Amino acid sequence: MENLTKMKFIFLILCATLIGCTNNDDDEIVLKNVKGTIIGTVSCDTESNGPAYEIQIENLDTIEKIIVSNLPIEFKQDGTKISFDMEKSIEDFGACVSLYSPDIFYKLKNITIVNN
């Protein structure tokens, strides 16, 4: 009987480990070559980069505006038009997450200025 209890315990530990280690790649979709315009700062600060910035999206039907925490300083001017890759992320947003819907938080990669 004692061996059966040990086996149940080991089985439960293995199940908990497997459930805790599932990979949810569906949330890590990267949208590439998105275009947008820097609108300005929003009313919350990120954990490491100062204010978060709002960007008006120009070429996506499903997303109108996003908030980003990792905008490099050379792009932090209202009205700047940029091209970038974007991925959903609430990382580094701190208190912003409680003020806005988590659906609008993204991190940017491959940022370039778009010439008019």
Side-chain angles (χ1 to χ4, degrees):
M1 187 70 150
E2 187 177 323
N3 283 340
L4 184 59
T5 304
K6 286 181 182 178
M7 287 179 64
K8 284 182 183 179
F9 177 74
I10 291 171
F11 178 76
L12 289 174
I13 295 295
L14 285 172
C15 287
T17 302
L18 290 174
I19 289 170
C21 293
T22 60
N23 190 356
N24 196 1
D25 286 338
D26 292 340
D27 291 339
E28 298 179 11
I29 297 172
V30 176
L31 299 172
K32 296 186 177 275
N33 199 28
V34 178
K35 293 186 179 16
T37 302
I38 307 300
I39 296 173
T41 59
V42 294
S43 60
C44 63
D45 286 339
T46 64
E47 293 176 352
S48 63
N49 294 328
Y53 279 78
E54 186 173 22
I55 299 175
Q56 176 76 42
I57 302 300
E58 296 175 5
N59 61 336
L60 293 177
D61 294 333
T62 56
I63 302 171
E64 186 177 317
K65 294 179 183 178
I66 62 171
I67 296 176
V68 300
S69 67
N70 67 328
L71 191 63
I73 194 161
E74 61 267 25
F75 303 105
K76 291 184 177 183
Q77 183 172 344
D78 295 0
T80 302
K81 294 188 180 297
I82 58 174
S83 177
F84 50 89
D85 300 340
M86 62 189 234
E87 179 179 357
K88 276 191 177 184
S89 175
I90 60 170
E91 182 180 314
D92 192 42
F93 280 101
C96 294
V97 175
S98 64
L99 298 173
Y100 300 95
S101 167
D103 292 337
I104 64 171
F105 295 111
Y106 287 82
K107 64 181 173 184
L108 304 183
K109 296 178 182 175
N110 303 321
I111 309 166
T112 57
I113 290 182
V114 174
N115 294 325
N116 292 334

